[in-house]
Amino acid sequence: MRGQLAALSIAAVVIIIGVPLWWRTTETYRAWLPVSQIQELANLELQLSADVEVVFARGTVTPEQQKKIPLTLSQDDEHVVDEDTSLRYRYETRYRTATIMEEDALNQPTAAEADLSLHMLSESPCGSLVVYVVPESTSLLPEDVEVYIGQRRTALLRIGTQMRVGRTLDQLLDHLEPRIKKLLQLMSFSHTDITAALSDRVRLSPGNKESIADSMRAFKSSPGYEITFSLLNPDPKSHRLHWDIEGAVQTFIQPLLTKLEPLANFSIDSQILYYAMLGVNPRFDNSHNAYTLNADSLAHVINPVEARLGSNAASSNPVLNFLLYVPDANHSPLYIQDRKKQQVPSNAFHSPRWGGIMVYNVNSFYGPDVAFPVDININMAKVMGVFLAQLRLLLGVQSSTPPPGFLVAPCGSSGLADWELDRLMWSRSVENIATATTTITSLAQLLDQIGNIVINDNIAQQVSSAVTSLQLAVAELESGNLGFALQYSKEAILASERAFFDPSLLHLLYFPDDQKFAIYIPLFLPMCVPILLSLLKIASEVRQRRRDKQTKTD
Amino acid sequence: MRYVHDLQLLVTLTHPKDDFQEELVIRPLQSGDVYASFQFRTLWETDFMKGNKVSHYRLFPKSLGQVISKFSVRELHISFTQGYWRTMQWGQPFMPSPPGAELWVWFQDSVTDVDGTWKELTNVLSGIFCASLNFIDSTNTVQPSASFKPLGIGNVTDHRFLRYATLPREIVCTENLTPWKKLLPCGSKAGLAVLMKSEKLFHSSFHSQAVHIRPVCQDSECTTTSWELRQTLNVVFDLHTSGQGKREWSLFKMFSRTLTEACPLASSSKIYIDITDNPQVSFLHNILSLKIQAVVLGDRRTFSVYDLTEANTFGSMRSLNLLIRWKSSEGDMLRPLLHAERYVAGYGLQTGEIHTLMYNYHPFRSFPILLLDSVPWYLRLYIHTLTVTSKGKDNKPSYIHYQPSKDRVRPHLLEMLVQLPPNSVTEVTVQFERALLKWTEYTPDPNHGFYVGSSVISALVPSMVAMDTNNTKERPLFSSFFPCKEESSYFVRIYTEPLLVNLPTPDFSMPYNVICLTCTVVAVGYGSLYNLLTRSFQIEEPNPRLAKRIANVIRRLRGVPPLA
């Protein structure tokens, strides 16, 4: 009896103390992760709110109508992209009549001047728009122009011809609405842009090839970019090239980058590479008396050059490469041909998500009987014009053609209008949110699947801060604070990547459970066998005793 | 407008902001080997200091420039060496370097987190040079207090901004040479770098490549500063064995290439051939060469110089292939005045003793040397056993800087200023105990042993020229009476051999064996305890003894009643 009690209590000690103790001491450290919040993020419901102010100038509405103008009106537009993602666009429209100062501004002789003085009056915040409805008889707009889009966040809209004073206000608003909507899609965000930005989360439906090509061309959103200009001089023996890259960057590139400051940090550097060859030998074309590179071979040009370019040692941001290739004296002039065998007028091409290459022929700078080496000054205005256009494309500044009746003001010295920046910020915020949510959810999924990975506190902290930033970014988008939304989405993407690529997540990946058990078999087997045997014995004895008792009662 | 452009062009041409020079020194060694030393120097008149952002590169490589400006580096010296420089056979090298990789960096005084910056810098450099510099961490980094002073301008001598580390185990091969060559403006397409064919360079007794970056003065008044990037490559070719004992060499034989042009970007491109010991030099074709004399490492040498920027250097063949034949090994090499070696003594796997021997061969002058030893933490130095003896007598160092190690955190650092008496051997010994490592801390192949980096000996050595009173022929008589005249001493840095120390190495199935053994012991103990606790014991009727049984059987046979 005493032995049985002892066996039972040992078994109890082993089960109550021994097994949990072993379990605790051999388990891997896994910090707490906000799993439920991550799952909420996996189901993304984005709401984009844009503030629109519609200002009626004098002569567009009658005083009676003026009294009836609704103060605000909000319009919702819902799209379900796939089962996990849905989008809702909300336009908060406010109506008012123009102030006296604005009337003065609208009386300027040209639209551009009106645009400037309206901007001086009040600066509309990032992401919002002001539409001035001007009377039919205005002199600001040319005859055939219905809508003028300025350099900032304002647009001028001509009230329609058939809309005379006397019609009801509702009809007036109904008439304005489709045009305002078209304007909004051009100036803030359109559904195609936003779905393209979601491409990290959602597989794009095949069919709209154009937008896929557009979204593939631009660099992925990143908190910083490195821009590198390289001058390739394959023949330093004959050409001594001088380029004033410092001045050219200051004049041509820096204004654009200053404008893009809220979007990302940019750093610029330049280098000169000697004896750098292209990957293909250009063919001599007798008809043009020049060497040509055709469109098919352009794909092979980059690789050998890339080995020389060198990666950026000091940061891990994506690099935009712009190469200026000066062909050697024996292979000049060199022209790039497109698929239709026509010479490309800019003599340049770009490679999606990589950069651009321009060929700069210098053979016309010297005669046939010149003494090498020749000193050549490169015309930087010509070069930078091409590179600036490529840079805009690669950064995703879309220059979509405006619908008929729309006039877009030429962008000024900065090369980028305010509303273009807004448009970029909308799609970048959405893209950042999409990327960060995918990263965080896949990290959570991975950690959930592999139970052996150690989750350190710093990773948990990064994950939590990413989740918080994401929630904030979504909330800010919802309330229409575009600047803050972008800021939070950048923080989210940084934190999520830091957590995802943390090296500590790889440590114990290959130490599976079965090996752990194999190691402890020599302990478990001799311990458990006597306990099990004595438990069995106790059970059989109890059964025996019961049977004995039964026979006794019988 | 055009005129203004031209004028600007003229200005930029006459005052180039950067300058590139290349040179190759070839010195036949007394042992029959040939020492070839390449040096490429890029000077760039710019200011990296005080947070100035520099981003437009011409001759200076962009990757290094970015590293310097990002990490606020004041000076950077990195070398990769395969093989050990045999000072006693080959003399003093132009650019000394220890076997393996060596990196020392002076940071600018604006850097606040030096250790963090150092860690990041080593990671980036390991990417640039394809080397395992990322293994540099706090356990092999030291801050020497006196041995490594800045070589460029600048008055920062606070050694908080200095970091020094060596990786003696590092193997140097082609993958390190390729990125090194990429830093040259002409790459390996033109100029002297054409000769760098890796299969020849690594088929040698000694190979060392280095990069040195430092700020230097542009002129004597130091009104403008510039950055100097010096890339050096030193090779010792073992032509004696590969040339079947014939004592001749040529560029083609050594490098299997010949030269056809200088790098067009170089402002000077020269080959120096040391003909001091061997004035009879023959060439494939007659090329005019300049003879110059220079005092190199305290010794007066004669060089013949070939200027590659001049077209007639290449002759009618349009290619330069120098060929030199020399008479059998007569004339002895001037013995280097300072020499050092090091070994581990002792037996067993518990304690040992490090011996460092320093030889001063100068007949009558003593000079001080600075000895730097960085020993990993797993050799626990007993610093009270440190002895310095020369000529059988105790030699008291005039300066000792010792920083004890911390396990798994930092190594020992020992720096001493020792006076070496003339014509003597000075021996430094210190005992150590070998530590037991954790089983994850062992390197792959732990039975090979653990490397301890070379000791570094820095000294101002009296010049041979000053010592040599016989060699007065070339000098005017009035200048040669007192032995000390020009350049009375010169700076030398010597590296000893790295040590290979065996540590007690466990059998690596040990953890499993230990677990099995412990488990078995626990199980046996547990089993008997369990039995004691759970079994009930009863006294049994003892069996009749064997003798009694046999007796009973016999009794039964006899018919006698059996015993009870």
Side-chain angles (χ1 to χ4, degrees), chain B residues 251-267:
Chain B
L251 284 185
F252 187 76
K253 220 172 182 179
M254 285 196 288
F255 302 104
S256 71
R257 299 264 170 92
T258 56
L259 286 168
T260 53
E261 57 173 351
C263 172
L265 306 163
S267 62

Side-chain angles (χ1 to χ4, degrees), chain B residues 185-390:
Chain B
C186 281
S188 49
K189 297 273 172 50
L192 292 173
V194 168
L195 297 177
M196 293 179 190
K197 205 176 168 187
S198 55
E199 60 206 68
K200 282 289 179 184
L201 289 186
F202 288 101
H203 188 78
S204 58
S205 314
F206 177 84
H207 171 100
S208 168
Q209 61 188 69
V211 170
H212 302 276
I213 303 175
R214 59 178 179 177
V216 293
C217 284
Q218 193 80 323
D219 44 25
S220 52
E221 282 99 49
C222 213
T223 47
T224 49
T225 58
S226 53
W227 284 85
E228 183 198 67
L229 164 70
R230 233 177 237 258
Q231 288 180 257
T232 65
L233 182 88
N234 293 289
V235 198
V236 174
F237 289 103
D238 183 7
L239 291 183
H240 201 52
T241 48
S242 60
Q244 285 99 37
K246 245 191 253 170
R247 300 207 125 203
E248 67 167 43
W249 60 266
S250 67
L251 284 185
F252 187 76
K253 220 172 182 179
M254 285 196 288
F255 302 104
S256 71
R257 299 264 170 92
T258 56
L259 286 168
T260 53
E261 57 173 351
C263 172
L265 306 163
S267 62
S268 114
S269 175
K270 286 183 176 139
I271 297 182
Y272 294 85
I273 292 175
D274 190 333
I275 51 168
T276 318
D277 305 329
N278 185 54
Q280 263 86 24
V281 183
S282 62
F283 298 105
L284 278 185
H285 36 259
N286 277 336
I287 312 159
L288 287 175
S289 73
L290 228 71
K291 289 221 167 41
I292 62 152
Q293 284 206 337
V295 177
V296 182
L297 295 167
D299 192 10
R300 180 168 282 112
R301 315 290 299 180
T302 316
F303 296 94
S304 66
V305 187
Y306 300 87
D307 192 346
L308 297 188
T309 48
E310 278 170 37
N312 55 6
T313 308
F314 299 100
S316 53
M317 305 274 287
R318 291 290 180 90
S319 84
L320 178 67
N321 182 20
L322 300 167
L323 177 101
I324 291 187
R325 223 171 255 130
W326 69 93
K327 295 168 281 175
S328 58
S329 56
E330 48 190 52
D332 48 358
M333 186 188 67
L334 265 174
R335 205 160 44 165
L337 289 182
L338 178 63
H339 170 58
E341 51 192 44
R342 192 154 75 132
Y343 58 90
V344 177
Y347 54 86
L349 284 176
Q350 203 194 347
T351 56
E353 198 169 33
I354 298 178
H355 289 248
T356 311
L357 302 176
M358 291 170 290
Y359 299 85
N360 175 3
Y361 289 116
H362 201 287
F364 50 82
R365 280 193 59 182
S366 71
F367 52 85
I369 58 106
L370 256 174
L371 173 74
L372 174 120
D373 244 328
S374 158
V375 179
W377 62 267
Y378 41 78
L379 301 187
R380 298 198 171 113
L381 293 186
Y382 294 148
I383 201 68
H384 68 275
T385 62
L386 176 75
T387 58
V388 184
T389 49
S390 28

Side-chain angles (χ1 to χ4, degrees), chain B residues 455-467:
Chain B
S455 333
V456 189
I457 293 162
S458 323
L460 278 174
V461 174
S463 176
M464 302 239 198
V465 179
M467 174 185 108

Side-chain angles (χ1 to χ4, degrees), chain A residues 3 237 269-270 307 314 531 534, chain B residues 55-57 66 70 182 530:
Chain A
K237 264 177 102 174
D269 42 36
S270 77
I531 292 177
S534 51
Chain B
S55 45
H56 301 287
Y57 301 89
Q66 280 176 333
K70 179 173 183 197
K182 252 205 270 187
Y530 187 83

Side-chain angles (χ1 to χ4, degrees), chain A residues 233-262:
Chain A
N233 184 1
D235 191 10
K237 264 177 102 174
S238 6
H239 298 147
R240 241 185 280 165
L241 302 174
H242 305 277
W243 69 339
D244 176 28
I245 183 72
E246 232 154 315
V249 163
Q250 275 307 323
T251 349
F252 300 102
I253 306 289
Q254 201 56 52
L256 175 67
L257 298 186
T258 317
K259 195 95 194 227
L260 287 170
E261 201 106 286

Side-chain angles (χ1 to χ4, degrees), chain A residues 2-3 6-7 10 228 236-237 240 242 245-246 249 268-272 274-275 307-314 375 377 518-519 522-523 526-527 530-531 534, chain B residues 5 9 12-13 53 55-59 62-63 66-67 70 124 128 182 184-186 189-190 261 264-265 512 515-516 519-520 522-523 526 530 532-535:
Chain A
R2 189 186 65 98
I10 286 177
T228 302
K237 264 177 102 174
R240 241 185 280 165
H242 305 277
I245 183 72
E246 232 154 315
V249 163
I268 305 179
D269 42 36
S270 77
Q271 60 182 343
I272 303 183
Y274 300 93
Y275 291 102
R308 287 286 308 276
L309 290 179
S311 54
N312 193 319
D375 283 299
N377 254 347
I519 283 176
L523 180 65
M527 281 197 112
I531 292 177
S534 51
Chain B
H5 258 264
L9 186 63
T12 51
L13 283 185
K53 199 155 164 32
S55 45
H56 301 287
Y57 301 89
R58 206 176 80 95
L59 294 176
K62 180 169 80 98
S63 52
Q66 280 176 333
V67 166
K70 179 173 183 197
V124 168
I128 291 180
K182 252 205 270 187
L184 296 170
C186 281
K189 297 273 172 50
E261 57 173 351
L265 306 163
Y512 185 68
I515 290 172
C516 282
C519 291
T520 316
V522 168
Y526 161 81
Y530 187 83
L532 270 175
L533 287 173
T534 55
R535 298 270 158 101

Side-chain angles (χ1 to χ4, degrees), chain A residues 72-110:
Chain A
T72 53
L73 193 72
S74 64
Q75 263 182 314
D76 281 1
D77 206 355
E78 259 197 86
H79 295 268
V80 177
V81 184
D82 69 354
E83 64 263 30
D84 292 335
T85 317
S86 62
L87 288 169
R88 182 195 288 180
Y89 308 124
R90 163 171 290 210
Y91 302 104
E92 300 267 4
T93 320
R94 279 189 292 141
Y95 296 95
R96 65 178 173 86
T97 49
T99 59
I100 302 165
M101 312 258 277
E102 284 171 334
E103 288 292 347
D104 281 351
L106 285 171
N107 284 333
Q108 300 277 345
T110 62

